[in-house]
Amino acid sequence: MERNRLFWASRRGMLELDLVLQPFLDDIYPTLETADQERYHKLLECEDQDMFGWFLRRETPEDPDLKKIVQIIRDSRSRPG
């Protein structure tokens, strides 16, 4: 997926998700292996409410691919600045 489309797909209906996904897209996504980038594309097809629960650690996705990319995003948020 081209960068501009990824940017707009990463903009969600919830500010809380934008605050997670936009920095991830800018800082981490370019360093991911192709398989993990494809997992991110799959994540963007998910519902906002599901992602919100996953990033707040209230739930974990059942799908192994989604589980992996959610964990990568969670880990990137806990790294020091």
Side-chain angles (χ1 to χ4, degrees):
M1 190 180 292
E2 70 177 67
R3 175 84 175 145
N4 195 39
R5 288 185 66 202
L6 265 178
F7 172 81
W8 288 107
S10 297
R11 298 268 327 230
R12 309 306 289 199
M14 299 176 73
L15 175 61
E16 295 86 351
L17 291 179
D18 290 348
L19 294 174
V20 171
L21 296 176
Q22 293 296 316
F24 180 82
L25 180 63
D26 291 338
D27 301 333
I28 307 299
Y29 177 86
T31 69
L32 295 177
E33 295 178 11
T34 302
D36 289 333
Q37 289 182 347
E38 290 172 6
R39 288 180 180 101
Y40 184 75
H41 301 168
K42 185 175 183 177
L43 175 72
L44 294 177
E45 296 174 8
C46 295
E47 297 292 326
D48 288 358
Q49 290 297 337
D50 292 333
M51 284 193 274
F52 185 70
W54 297 336
F55 295 138
L56 287 181
R57 301 174 189 264
R58 292 181 180 161
E59 303 171 15
T60 300
E62 292 181 20
D63 180 288
D65 286 330
L66 292 175
K67 186 175 184 176
K68 182 169 182 186
I69 193 63
V70 166
Q71 191 59 51
I72 290 170
I73 294 170
R74 287 175 176 173
D75 291 346
S76 74
R77 305 242 335 127
S78 63
R79 289 183 192 158

